[in-house]
Amino acid sequence: MRGRRSVRVAEGGYLRELLQSGVLRTSPLIAAFERIDRAAFIPASVRDAAALNIPLPIGHAQTISQPWTVAFMLEALQPQPGDAVLDVGSGSGWATALLADLVGPRGHVYAIERIPALRAFGERNVLRAGLRNVTFATGDGSRGWPAAAPFQRIHVAAAAPRAVPEPLKEQLAVGGRLIIPVGEWTQTLVLVTRKDPEQFTERRYPDFQFVPLVSDHESSPA
Ligand code: SAM
């Protein structure tokens, strides 16, 4: 897998490896990765491995993503101060916290997670990190969050089996960016930019691996 190729036991932790590999390269993102410590977002049982550039279990058969992959997605997404961001599959809350740090107090992150216990875990971790510009919900994020749309950025951390879900494209602001893995066995990261109300462009980055985006037809948050 694209991200896995760069795995090695990091001397000085994943941050040094992300910087050396060049995947983490823009100043606001570097500062966010320095401020938001991944160790505070994982269960105590795997905390010894927090500094490694590998995915780690967070319970309920789910993982916190590999730091390389999170850096790659956020560099492609380039969240800006003041943005409204939808984060689908908030899990541990680590990527949510990075997004909240990047959009700052004028921005807001809407974080949705389908597993109630993980939603609570992520919310607790984000609050402990001192971030107050996040609203959490439990539900099926493949339907988006219509009441909070449009979003300048949409970050999806689980793989849609066949295509980018239409509700997510509909809820993207004009000029906005959406990143999502698509595919069943291995995935391509698809970066969608909404050029105008009717026109979307796509860039594709192959060879990633994510847990599936499970569409359970629960209602979206009101
Ligand atoms: N960003 C997370 C983190 O930093 O820990 C990544 C967690 S994991 C790779 C992806 C998450 O997506 C899992 O917690 C999973 O339960 C969640 N998920 C899967 N399908 C979903 C859906 N339809 N709506 C919301 N969350 C979903």
Side-chain angles (χ1 to χ4, degrees):
M1 294 299 103
R2 179 188 278 260
R4 282 170 197 261
R5 259 185 242 129
S6 73
V7 171
R8 59 179 179 268
V9 177
E11 296 162 13
Y14 61 80
L15 188 58
R16 184 163 159 188
E17 185 179 342
L18 300 184
L19 292 168
Q20 281 175 349
S21 70
V23 67
L24 186 63
R25 57 186 178 278
T26 55
S27 308
L29 260 116
I30 294 169
F33 271 78
E34 284 170 347
R35 278 193 289 267
I36 310 293
D37 181 8
R38 187 186 193 225
F41 293 81
I42 56 178
S45 55
V46 291
R47 205 156 287 147
D48 284 354
L52 303 185
N53 186 20
I54 54 174
L56 291 169
I58 55 172
H60 307 272
Q62 304 300 323
T63 54
I64 183 171
S65 301
Q66 182 183 357
W68 195 96
T69 303
V70 177
F72 185 92
M73 291 177 80
L74 296 188
E75 285 284 359
L77 205 57
Q78 287 293 318
Q80 299 296 308
D83 278 353
V85 179
L86 176 64
D87 182 31
V88 176
S90 52
S92 69
W94 184 47
T96 313
L98 289 165
L99 288 163
D101 184 83
L102 285 161
V103 302
R106 288 187 299 111
H108 202 87
V109 180
Y110 296 86
I112 183 162
E113 166 58 54
R114 66 176 284 274
I115 299 175
L118 280 183
R119 170 254 167 105
F121 178 62
E123 185 166 15
R124 210 164 46 240
N125 293 337
V126 166
L127 281 172
R128 275 201 199 123
L131 295 153
R132 298 289 179 267
N133 56 341
V134 184
T135 305
F136 282 86
T138 305
D140 178 7
S142 67
R143 295 164 179 256
W145 192 320
F151 302 102
Q152 280 77 43
R153 299 289 186 268
I154 300 179
H155 171 261
V156 186
R162 280 171 293 282
V164 181
E166 279 304 315
L168 298 184
K169 290 172 73 173
E170 283 161 16
Q171 292 172 37
L172 191 61
V174 171
R177 293 184 191 185
L178 148 65
I179 192 155
I180 180 169
V182 177
E184 272 183 294
W185 300 107
T186 69
Q187 289 95 37
T188 294
L189 271 178
V190 182
L191 177 66
V192 179
T193 303
R194 189 170 201 170
K195 294 287 180 191
D196 64 41
E198 306 304 329
Q199 196 199 349
F200 296 86
T201 59
E202 282 185 8
R203 285 192 70 170
R204 294 177 164 263
Y205 306 93
D207 295 336
F208 284 85
Q209 198 162 41
F210 284 81
V211 298
L213 184 70
V214 180
S215 190
D216 43 17
H217 304 285
E218 286 168 16
S219 57
S220 310

